[in-house]
Amino acid sequence: MAVETPFVPLEAVPTDSTMIVTARDEDDTERDVLRHRTGDDVVGWLDACQHYRRVPIGKDDGETTRNGEFVCENHGAYFEADSGLCTFGPCEGARLEAVEVAVDDGIVYVSDDVYCYTGLGLIERESADRTSTSNVQFYEVGGKNRTSYGLL
Ligand code: FES
């Protein structure tokens, strides 16, 4: 089990929204990870819609959640918070990519074989389109260490 700092208490993970943490994969790429609590369990999902997979489901920390489903703020896809299954929208039937999370003695850990926790909150991105009001934004791919730009 990966040990993360700072420790995140179970009570800090919302049941009616999400907490965003940052995790790094084997290629040293940082990704935003959604955490959502259902009772004493916590699930983790990459914050990447299955319609356009480089697009986060929400724009900030705290995804819109209705009746146990996340709602993509871009084109309205619904994803079950506990299973990651898209139940409505352009990617219906697809599933969010899981990031394994464990809870031990009231503390939440990333327990994934691929991703390791790197911090709380969204990845720092430098916006390439500072004038857009669209939910689809341009950003620096892979976080602050890459130079190419792409559509989220
Ligand atoms: S990007 Fe999420 S529904 Fe289109």
Side-chain angles (χ1 to χ4, degrees):
M1 174 184 299
V3 176
E4 60 183 37
T5 53
F7 297 105
V8 176
L10 177 63
E11 301 79 36
V13 181
T15 57
D16 59 350
S17 184
T18 58
M19 166 188 279
I20 302 275
V21 299
T22 305
R24 191 178 300 276
D25 68 15
E26 295 167 324
D27 297 328
D28 219 24
T29 301
E30 280 196 310
R31 305 290 302 268
D32 292 325
V33 176
L34 308 174
R35 284 179 174 172
H36 177 79
R37 179 164 56 100
T38 55
D40 290 336
D41 292 324
V42 174
V43 291
W45 308 108
L46 286 185
D47 187 9
C49 186
Q50 295 301 294
H51 180 207
Y52 293 130
R53 294 184 179 192
R54 295 205 60 86
V55 176
I57 295 172
K59 292 188 87 170
D60 298 306
D61 202 1
E63 308 301 332
T64 301
T65 306
R66 291 193 193 118
N67 299 323
E69 293 186 307
F70 307 133
V71 182
C72 180
E73 294 184 21
N74 300 291
H75 309 109
Y78 281 60
F79 296 91
E80 292 178 341
D82 58 349
S83 73
L85 178 68
C86 179
T87 60
F88 175 80
C91 48
E92 187 171 337
R95 202 174 287 271
L96 297 174
E97 187 176 335
V99 177
E100 295 299 321
V101 174
V103 180
D104 185 23
D105 201 21
I107 302 296
V108 181
Y109 301 88
V110 169
S111 56
D112 198 276
D113 291 337
V114 174
Y115 294 96
C116 64
Y117 172 87
T118 56
L120 285 172
L122 294 165
I123 299 169
E124 286 184 38
R125 293 187 176 99
E126 195 170 301
S127 177
D129 179 9
R130 302 181 203 294
T131 59
S132 174
T133 56
S134 167
N135 282 341
V136 179
Q137 303 171 340
F138 289 89
Y139 78 105
E140 189 172 352
V141 174
K144 54 191 169 194
N145 296 326
R146 301 275 177 100
T147 55
S148 61
Y149 289 84
L151 181 65
L152 278 172

